Amino acid sequence: MKIILLGPPGAGKGTQAEIIQKRYEIPKLSTGDMLRAAVEQGTPLGKKVEKIMLAGALVSDDIMIDIIRDRMTEADCVNGFMLDGFPRTLAQADGLEEMLKEQDTAIDHVIELKVDDKALVARISGRYSCAKCGAGYHDSFKKPRKEGVCDMCGSVQFNRRPDDNAETVSARLASYHKQTAPLLPYYKKRKLLSSVDGMASMEEVTRQIEAVIQGKSAAA
Ligand code: AMP
């Protein structure tokens, strides 16, 4: 099963991809996570992309297509994958289609998480995650049961993404509308697109995504 999750920053793609990857045993391929790891490790790629990410702009298509091509050759992708944050431009979508065609395969579903722009800024600016296990939290919507202690692993250290500030969020939203939203008609034309209500509860969004994966929900 090869799935793309589409939606603006803060729509919940990462959270949902995490849940689906456990249930369906297909890995979540998050280009944002891969780039953040490169920045943290100080690799040449990390040095190249750090400023771009902080500005809320997009990394070049060539770099992103190469990263995904390499990642897809890894053993855990044999049964498919769930893409989170890729493709983000029409050129990336074309690149993906081509590389899958070369392997005689194709995307099965593109699932859009529809969310109000207004809700996104609040969602993103309050979010943080456990530094040890990565569990996600939010200042207003999802606090740990015991303040300052991760529910999942008990760690007391948390991280906030440096690009989760109000200024960068506006730039990221603008780049979503300009460069990524055109992927919706692109995939609709290919009859691959389904939309789910990203404003619903986390459990309900998962339910809607599973209905698409199981073929119980009509394409958009
Ligand atoms: P994300 O975690 O998906 O919100 O990505 C964080 C940042 O990484 C984005 O704001 C971009 O700067 C960069 N990035 C992630 N994925 C891509 C992509 N497919 N194309 C271009 N830039 C990307």
Side-chain angles (χ1 to χ4, degrees):
M1 183 72 68
K2 299 182 179 68
I3 301 165
I4 295 173
L5 278 188
L6 264 185
K13 301 186 298 293
T15 306
Q16 293 298 332
E18 203 65 53
I19 297 170
I20 299 294
Q21 93 168 343
K22 287 188 188 127
R23 288 200 192 160
Y24 290 83
E25 291 181 8
I26 52 173
K28 154 188 160 181
L29 308 190
S30 158
T31 43
D33 286 352
M34 295 175 205
L35 295 174
R36 277 185 288 281
V39 171
E40 251 166 54
Q41 290 157 16
T43 65
L45 169 68
K47 288 188 179 126
K48 209 184 234 176
V49 302
E50 188 170 13
K51 278 204 187 105
I52 301 173
M53 292 173 78
L54 274 176
L58 292 187
V59 175
S60 81
D61 291 329
D62 291 348
I63 292 180
M64 297 314 304
I65 291 170
D66 283 349
I67 289 178
I68 281 293
R69 182 181 283 114
D70 282 354
R71 181 64 185 85
M72 280 179 183
T73 61
E74 288 180 33
D76 61 343
C77 291
V78 291
N79 295 325
F81 45 75
M82 175 162 255
L83 286 166
D84 159 20
F86 182 94
R88 254 182 163 94
T89 64
L90 289 170
Q92 291 179 17
D94 283 339
L96 175 66
E97 196 171 66
E98 245 170 65
M99 75 176 94
L100 292 177
K101 221 181 248 171
E102 281 164 20
Q103 298 161 18
D104 219 7
T105 181
I107 291 293
D108 298 291
H109 299 286
V110 178
I111 305 174
E112 176 200 11
L113 272 68
K114 264 189 192 291
V115 187
D116 273 2
D117 262 17
K118 271 182 267 159
L120 293 173
V121 178
R123 276 194 187 190
I124 297 177
S125 26
R127 72 183 179 180
Y128 59 99
S129 60
C130 171
K132 198 168 160 208
C133 74
Y137 296 99
H138 192 282
D139 291 329
S140 316
F141 311 132
K142 192 178 176 232
K143 297 178 185 175
R145 282 192 295 271
K146 186 169 173 215
E147 202 188 323
V149 182
C150 175
D151 293 345
M152 300 300 190
C153 74
S155 165
V156 292
Q157 283 184 328
F158 296 88
N159 287 332
R160 280 178 200 265
R161 282 173 48 170
D163 59 346
D164 276 352
N165 60 74
E167 237 167 76
T168 309
V169 170
S170 310
R172 287 160 65 199
L173 274 177
S175 102
Y176 175 79
H177 287 298
K178 189 160 172 233
Q179 290 164 282
T180 309
L183 296 180
L184 298 170
Y186 175 97
Y187 285 119
K188 187 167 182 180
K189 204 169 138 199
R190 286 161 173 71
K191 302 205 180 325
L192 291 173
L193 183 71
S194 303
S195 295
V196 305
D197 177 9
M199 299 298 291
S201 67
M202 196 175 79
E203 294 77 16
E204 172 58 17
V205 178
T206 306
R207 199 196 60 71
Q208 291 186 19
I209 291 175
E210 289 190 312
V212 174
I213 295 175
Q214 292 162 10
K216 292 180 189 155
S217 163

